[in-house]
Amino acid sequence: MDSPQAGEHGPHSAASPDHGHGQEPGQGHGQGHGHSHGHAHGPVPPVSRHLRKVIAAVLVPFAAAVVAGMVLLWPGGAPAHARSGVGFDQQTRPGKVVQLVHVSCKQVGALPNADGAGDGSGGTGSGAGGTSGSGGGSTAGSAASDACQKATIEVMSGPDKGTRFTEIVQPDQTRRYTKGEGLVLAYAPDAPKNLRYSVTDVDRGMPVALLALGFALVVVLIGRLRGLMALVALAISFAILTFFILPAILRGDNPLLVAVVGGSAIMLMALYLCHGVSARTSVAVLGTLCSLFLIGALGSVFIAWARLTGNTSDETGLIHTLYPNIEIKGVLLAGVIIGSLGVLDDVTVTQVAAVWELKDADPTANWRKLYGAGMRIGRDHIASVVNTLVMAYAGAALPLLLLFSIARSGVFQVASSELVAEEIVRTLVGSIGLVASVPLTTALAALVVSADRGNRGEASGQGGQSGPGGRAGQGEAATVPGPSRPAGAGRSHRRVK
């Protein structure tokens, strides 16, 4: 659509942006202003109605299938089970440290009498200090190792609210208490009254809540409306994960199917909420969707080929015991898909935006040129994203890597163990999907924006964005008054109109 306009203008209108400076003073000034107005960057022109229909024809059935899948697979809550009282599967109550006293470990019977000098009473005859009598010959080091904490803990809610019990904290324990500190208490209702409660963790609700609030404030202050929409999308993502994906897997549905349906719903909500309903976002959705299916296919093949069971921790063992119908191997694959989703969104949106801006900067570029320029951007993106993903997995598995380092196992022996092989497969499958999403999404974006070039040019010709010739013509019409306009320019302008 650009070349006929250039032909109508003739050599004069097909000149480079600096062509106006070689004309007569009046004409050069007018064309200079016209060119600058034509390049003013505003919102990217919308795609044509025909192309919007094509994109909708692909995505609307997909979105309908996702909604139908969620309706059919909706679990209605996690299935109930009898409490085992093991690990996370135990009842808890809030507690609080109401009194804290430093005592001798020997006095309270928390440590054996290592030096064998008399019994416990002989070593503690002087009271809480416990440093006189038979223990008077103890060194400073042994005295320091004899310092225990005696914490009085009160139950803060439930049928036994107000009940108190004591707990002794030995010197070599990593957790130390402070007075007034909140605790999480394990509750065993069938145990004797004096043994029903024990400390299982520290209450970290306040620092975690303040950190989350600080994160939300930073996102909104810097991201403004788009940051607020990102937080809304994050909340919806957690809701889908909590109320659909996890309960459906616990109910015994196919974890891969649940992850694909739930992950697709998260992708649609997050992308359209954060980036708006547009052709740009729709192309990013298509690129993300294709990459997710690639990750799912590769994950299925290599998890089966490597004979990974997914049952490599106490947590997965407990889940399998409580819910024998769950396919643990499928849970592993579902985790690979969901774990890759967030980074995939970032890659695809960035690549589509880059191609769109490249086309806006050079409306004459064909899809090959756009694809080449977009891939030059994408290769830098690939390098940073792959390194980020690998380091994220390595950081999560750092305690495991430390154990293998202590054992001085060989590299191949470590890599072939199921614990490490599971992380390797998870990392590499996700990375392959991320790398493949760059050329795939870039090609889709280049094809879409190039195929729509003619319609965009016609729609934006009156706004001064229909190619170099069109911009020059509109610039003259906007800035050069009729009486002072050169005759040649006036005839050219009349032909364009």
Side-chain angles (χ1 to χ4, degrees):
M1 298 297 296
D2 294 334
S3 46
Q5 291 179 355
E8 290 175 6
H9 281 289
H12 167 73
S13 60
S16 64
D18 294 332
H19 172 77
H21 295 289
Q23 303 298 322
E24 298 175 4
Q27 184 179 358
H29 179 73
Q31 287 191 351
H33 278 282
H35 187 77
S36 64
H37 281 290
H39 267 293
H41 289 284
V44 178
V47 299
S48 66
R49 181 177 301 177
H50 173 71
L51 188 55
R52 288 200 299 270
K53 289 181 179 179
V54 172
I55 295 174
V58 176
L59 289 181
V60 169
F62 168 69
V66 170
V67 173
M70 291 189 70
V71 171
L72 292 174
L73 296 173
W74 190 262
H81 68 278
R83 294 273 189 175
S84 66
V86 179
F88 289 103
D89 190 42
Q90 58 186 348
Q91 299 183 49
T92 59
R93 297 284 188 272
K96 184 179 181 181
V97 178
V98 294
Q99 187 177 6
L100 194 64
V101 179
H102 293 278
V103 298
S104 167
C105 296
K106 292 180 182 179
Q107 179 185 8
V108 296
L111 284 177
N113 193 358
D115 59 6
D119 56 12
S121 60
T124 59
S126 62
T131 57
S132 61
S134 63
S138 300
T139 63
S142 61
S145 64
D146 191 44
C148 285
Q149 284 184 334
K150 182 180 180 181
T152 302
I153 299 165
E154 181 176 336
V155 181
M156 303 304 294
S157 71
D160 299 322
K161 180 179 179 181
T163 300
R164 295 188 175 188
F165 64 96
T166 60
E167 181 162 316
I168 304 300
V169 183
Q170 299 182 11
D172 58 346
Q173 290 183 235
T174 56
R175 180 184 298 155
R176 310 291 287 181
Y177 296 135
T178 58
K179 187 176 180 180
E181 182 178 19
L183 302 173
V184 178
L185 308 179
Y187 172 54
D190 297 331
K193 190 171 182 179
N194 61 333
L195 298 176
R196 287 181 182 175
Y197 295 94
S198 61
V199 178
T200 184
D201 208 346
V202 175
D203 183 9
R204 303 180 180 87
M206 183 60 69
V208 172
L210 288 177
L211 181 60
L213 179 61
F215 164 74
L217 288 175
V218 170
V219 170
V220 172
L221 287 175
I222 297 177
R224 299 184 182 179
L225 179 59
R226 186 154 294 187
L228 178 62
M229 297 309 295
L231 292 178
V232 173
L234 182 63
I236 294 175
S237 299
F238 270 104
I240 294 174
L241 183 65
T242 304
F243 296 108
F244 173 70
I245 295 177
L246 299 181
I249 291 176
L250 289 177
R251 197 179 66 173
D253 292 329
N254 188 308
L256 177 58
L257 179 61
V258 172
V260 169
V261 173
S264 298
I266 291 173
M267 173 189 66
L268 290 171
M269 291 286 187
L271 287 178
Y272 282 117
L273 273 176
C274 294
H275 305 285
V277 180
S278 64
R280 266 189 183 187
T281 309
S282 299
V283 173
V285 167
L286 290 173
T288 305
L289 177 63
C290 295
S291 302
L292 278 179
F293 279 112
L294 175 62
I295 290 173
L298 287 175
S300 299
V301 170
F302 282 95
I303 287 175
W305 194 4
R307 298 182 179 274
L308 299 177
T309 64
N311 192 4
T312 55
S313 65
D314 294 339
E315 289 77 15
T316 53
L318 177 60
I319 291 171
H320 189 60
T321 301
L322 297 175
Y323 298 96
N325 294 329
I326 291 180
E327 186 184 349
I328 298 296
K329 187 185 297 186
V331 174
L332 172 62
L333 180 56
V336 173
I337 293 174
I338 295 173
S340 303
L341 183 60
V343 188
L344 266 179
D345 289 351
D346 171 53
V347 172
T348 55
V349 168
T350 301
Q351 287 305 116
V352 171
V355 172
W356 237 262
E357 294 299 329
L358 287 167
K359 184 65 174 181
D360 193 40
D362 184 6
T364 62
N366 58 22
W367 81 269
R368 292 181 183 275
K369 184 175 181 181
L370 291 173
Y371 177 77
M375 280 304 299
R376 285 193 291 273
I377 299 172
R379 290 185 187 100
D380 289 335
H381 207 178
I382 287 172
S384 60
V385 166
V386 169
N387 187 63
T388 300
L389 191 66
V390 172
M391 289 300 102
Y393 281 124
L398 193 59
L400 178 63
L401 297 178
L402 287 173
L403 287 176
F404 279 107
S405 179
I406 292 171
R408 296 183 180 180
S409 302
V411 174
F412 293 104
Q413 180 183 350
V414 171
S416 62
S417 66
E418 184 170 3
L419 276 172
V420 178
E422 183 178 297
E423 297 301 325
I424 291 175
V425 170
R426 190 198 312 269
T427 302
L428 296 184
V429 166
S431 298
I432 290 172
L434 287 173
V435 172
S437 71
V438 173
L440 175 62
T441 308
T442 305
L444 280 174
L447 287 171
V448 167
V449 77
S450 298
D452 196 49
R453 175 59 194 140
N455 293 317
R456 289 177 62 191
E458 293 170 4
S460 60
Q462 296 180 357
Q465 297 212 19
S466 59
R471 281 195 298 265
Q474 294 294 330
E476 291 170 10
T479 60
V480 181
S484 61
R485 185 169 53 220
R491 287 193 299 271
S492 174
H493 177 68
R494 285 192 295 272
R495 285 198 298 272
V496 172
K497 291 180 68 175

